[in-house]
Amino acid sequence: MSGATDKAVILARGLGTRMRKADAAAGLSRQESAVADSGVKAMIPIGRPFLDYVLSSLADAGYRRACLVIGPEHQIVRDYYGKLPTRRISVEFAIQEKPLGTADAVLAAESFAAGEPVLVLNSDNFYPVQATAALRALGCSGLAAFQVEGLLAGGNIPADRLAKFAVVQADSAGRLVRIIEKPDPATLATLAQPVCVSMNCWMFGPAIFRAAGSIKPSPRGELEIPDAVQYAIDRLGESFRVLPFNLPVLDLSSRSDIAAVKASLAGMEVNL
């Protein structure tokens, strides 16, 4: 895999279970509550839909085509982005018929990738442009890994939530060895410092589609990206570069996140 891509795949199919959960303390407006009730986190209004900020940042990083992986019921996303005039980044759609997991969502975008490398990221995270731009320039498969210190210092992710995130194990050459879900203290102690976590921000080559189509469901009953990546490493010989960043990522998982994300994005220009 070589050359910089202009394609990004945004995973927007999730059910939004945590976002739909009621939280009177969040103090949401009627409009915010209505969108939160739908579970479509990408459309949470932060002055305008949260996903607009994500797309604008991707355009800043040099991406020109975005594919939103959505469910057949997500007409609100289709209606909005199907009519939204854009100049710097186009928006396309791929349908994941059933919520069978993140790796299955990636498979839904295979025709969009068309054999080319693609950035793959979440629709409910706002990543620093430095990370997505670096992945674009990488020229091979890779992962943006975020240091715990940077996430805590500049983001909105509380320490107790961050402790549940998957951590990244890399070798001395900076290649991914594995993603470790919910590591125990003993496992953490074996990892090189500083510890980095995966926020699901990847550059994938065509091998990921073969891997995603070969794995079995996890104990949660889903086809998951970390399992597909491990298959690509172990069975297909794919190498993933780990790019560490000591930078924050905004996380829009639940209603309690909305106010902090809104404050962080206040005054940010959206240029699509």
Side-chain angles (χ1 to χ4, degrees):
M1 188 173 81
S2 61
T5 183
D6 68 348
K7 294 181 177 181
V9 173
I10 303 175
L11 307 181
R13 174 64 171 95
L15 299 176
T17 303
R18 282 180 292 176
M19 182 60 73
R20 295 201 310 269
K21 187 177 180 180
D23 182 359
L28 303 187
S29 68
R30 182 175 298 179
Q31 182 187 18
E32 290 166 346
S33 292
V35 179
D37 287 343
S38 75
V40 185
K41 293 178 282 188
M43 299 302 291
I44 294 292
I46 311 291
R48 56 192 298 158
F50 174 73
L51 188 53
D52 281 6
Y53 296 90
V54 176
L55 289 166
S56 182
S57 178
L58 290 177
D60 290 343
Y63 297 90
R64 296 293 174 256
R65 296 179 62 189
C67 177
L68 308 183
V69 179
I70 58 175
E73 72 276 19
H74 291 158
Q75 194 62 39
I76 183 176
V77 181
R78 273 186 172 278
D79 288 346
Y80 180 81
Y81 287 103
K83 299 173 183 176
L84 185 69
T86 62
R87 180 179 58 86
R88 296 201 302 157
I89 187 167
S90 64
V91 179
E92 303 169 44
F93 305 95
I95 303 299
Q96 183 188 16
E97 292 294 339
K98 297 180 180 179
L100 299 179
T102 52
D104 185 70
V106 170
L107 279 173
E110 186 172 8
S111 61
F112 169 78
E116 299 177 17
V118 290
L119 180 77
V120 172
L121 67 165
N122 293 336
S123 66
D124 57 353
N125 289 126
F126 182 83
Y127 303 90
V129 68
Q130 297 96 316
T132 53
L135 285 172
R136 180 172 179 267
L138 189 57
C140 64
S141 295
L143 167 68
F146 295 91
Q147 295 180 20
V148 171
E149 177 186 359
L151 290 172
L152 290 174
N156 71 306
I157 306 172
D160 60 341
R161 185 192 303 173
L162 190 57
K164 300 175 184 177
F165 284 9
V167 300
V168 176
Q169 182 181 8
D171 64 17
S172 59
R175 294 170 301 207
L176 181 65
V177 174
R178 60 176 174 148
I179 299 292
I180 307 172
E181 300 278 356
K182 299 180 180 178
D184 57 39
T187 301
L188 283 174
T190 68
L191 300 178
Q193 299 295 320
V195 173
C196 291
V197 304
S198 170
M199 297 294 295
N200 210 35
C201 187
W202 300 88
M203 180 58 67
F204 285 140
I208 196 62
F209 299 107
R210 180 179 170 190
S214 301
I215 59 174
K216 296 180 180 180
S218 70
R220 291 185 291 193
E222 297 183 353
L223 300 174
E224 303 192 26
I225 284 176
D227 293 335
V229 168
Q230 199 66 52
Y231 185 98
I233 294 171
D234 297 341
R235 303 287 293 274
L236 305 180
E238 189 81 350
S239 179
F240 292 80
R241 283 277 306 280
V242 176
L243 302 183
F245 295 94
N246 193 25
L247 294 168
V249 175
L250 298 181
D251 187 34
L252 192 61
S253 293
S254 66
R255 296 175 191 235
S256 62
D257 296 323
I258 294 175
V261 170
K262 187 183 295 186
S264 295
L265 295 178
M268 183 171 293
E269 180 183 2
V270 170
N271 182 4
L272 301 176

